Structure formats: structure tokens, C-alpha cells
Amino acid sequence: MKKLLLSLLAVSALAFTTQAQTEKGKIIVGGNVAFDTNKSDADGAKSNTSFAIVPSVGYFVSDNIAIGTGVGYSYDKTVSKFENQAFVVSPFGRYYANLSESFKFFGQLSVPMEFGTAKAVDAAGKVGEKVGSSTEIGVALSPGFAFFPTKKIGIEFAVNGLSYNNYRLENGDGDKIKGAGSDSFSFGANFFQPKLGIQFHF
């Protein structure tokens, strides 16, 4: 009987620890860093490069539901097109569902926004003068899993789910630059391009 009571207490403690990581009033701090470079035969030996760093903070408004925002910087250079440096703001909402004592499933809805400056890039990869101001606004719904090796650290594995992005480039007069804007929509989880991250829970 004593062993049974001790076992029940241990299971209850584990369940409480897991819940405590995502209970109302807790704070999560984390973010993501991304880097990508690739070469195109058409561009010779010059590479296209992109980089982003977006720290984030969130608050659990109720058990398993957090809202917050990321604020950071992104850089993108495409040979024969543009170099773009942008300020990033990405508000989000996230829901967690318990799978076990150490694993949780989560879904995140975010609205990433980027406001930057674009410069011309020639075929040799040389950056020229400013050509305009860029704005990119999107909506993304991403599923993922979080593993908690301790009650304060969550290691995350997420994939792209459903997303839409609108990009536009305007000159100094506020007119759109022809051929520089785009709309993109994607659906489906690509497990070969996962996002890995760490969140700290306080």
C-alpha cells in the first residue's frame, strides 16, 4: 500500500511538473536563427544568401495558451536582383497539448511582418544603390513538438504548415516597382526542412 501511494505521488508530481511549464502566468523566452546560402548555375560562382535572427517572448494567458511576439532582423541577398535588410516583428499565439510527461504537441499561428530597405545587386554580386523600401506581411500556421528535458527548457521541432506571404517593393515616390512584388501560398509539412529551437520557461 505504501509503495502504491508513493508511486501515485510520483506520477502526480511528474504530471504537475509538465503542466507547470505551460500554466497560466508563466513566461517563455526563446526565438529562432536561420541561415541559408545557395548557388545557381546561371549566377556563376556567386551565392544567394539569407539570414535571420528573431528573439521572442510570450506569456501564458491561460493554461497551455500563450501569446507573444518576436522582434529581430533579416538579411536577404539575391544575385542579379536585390539585397534586402529588414526589421522583423512577428506576433504569435500558441497552444500546447500534453502527449506525455516530457513531450507536448503545439500549434502556432503567427503574423510575420518585415519592413526594410532594398538595394540593387548586379550579376557579379556587387551591391549598388538603394532602389526602394520593402514590406512583407504574412500569416503562418505551424505544428510542432516540444521535448522538456527539464521543467524550464523546451527543445522544439517544428515544420512549415500553412502559410501566405505578400511582398512589395516601392520606390522613393511610394510607387510599386514592377516585377519586384510577389504573393506566395504554401501548404504541407516538409519534414526535410525542420525548424529547431529552444524555449526557456519561467
Side-chain angles (χ1 to χ4, degrees):
M1 185 65 177
K2 185 177 180 180
K3 289 183 179 180
L4 178 60
L5 288 173
L6 289 173
S7 297
L8 288 173
L9 285 172
V11 171
S12 298
L14 283 172
F16 176 77
T17 299
T18 303
Q19 175 64 30
Q21 295 154 347
T22 58
E23 70 181 4
K24 181 178 179 180
K26 294 290 184 178
I27 294 173
I28 53 173
V29 177
N32 62 71
V33 176
F35 176 79
D36 181 64
T37 182
N38 62 78
K39 289 184 179 181
S40 170
D41 292 338
D43 297 326
K46 301 303 177 182
S47 297
N48 301 323
T49 304
S50 63
F51 170 79
I53 178 167
V54 185
S56 64
V57 61
Y59 176 78
F60 283 90
V61 294
S62 65
D63 290 350
N64 296 319
I65 298 177
I67 60 172
T69 191
V71 177
Y73 166 84
S74 74
Y75 173 86
D76 185 77
K77 179 181 177 182
T78 304
V79 175
S80 299
K81 291 186 178 180
F82 303 105
E83 176 200 70
N84 198 78
Q85 298 187 59
F87 170 70
V88 180
V89 180
S90 184
F92 66 86
R94 178 180 286 202
Y95 173 75
Y96 285 89
N98 293 337
L99 298 177
S100 69
E101 290 84 0
S102 300
F103 287 91
K104 290 177 182 282
F105 168 83
F106 67 84
Q108 177 168 299
L109 177 66
S110 59
V111 184
M113 297 174 282
E114 298 187 13
F115 308 95
T117 300
K119 295 181 179 179
V121 178
D122 63 21
K126 183 178 178 180
V127 179
E129 296 182 352
K130 176 182 175 180
V131 295
S133 299
S134 64
T135 303
E136 185 171 0
I137 299 176
V139 179
L141 180 61
S142 305
F145 295 91
F147 167 64
F148 292 88
T150 73
K151 66 180 182 179
K152 292 188 182 231
I153 298 176
I155 300 173
E156 299 181 349
F157 173 94
V159 294
N160 292 325
L162 178 67
S163 66
Y164 166 78
N165 278 304
N166 172 265
Y167 175 81
R168 69 177 186 269
L169 186 59
E170 299 177 346
N171 59 27
D173 296 325
D175 299 321
K176 292 182 180 179
I177 297 177
K178 187 176 180 180
S182 66
D183 286 283
S184 62
F185 175 81
S186 66
F187 175 73
N190 187 345
F191 291 96
F192 295 101
Q193 291 184 329
K195 296 178 181 178
L196 298 175
I198 296 179
Q199 295 280 359
F200 297 93
H201 295 246
F202 302 98

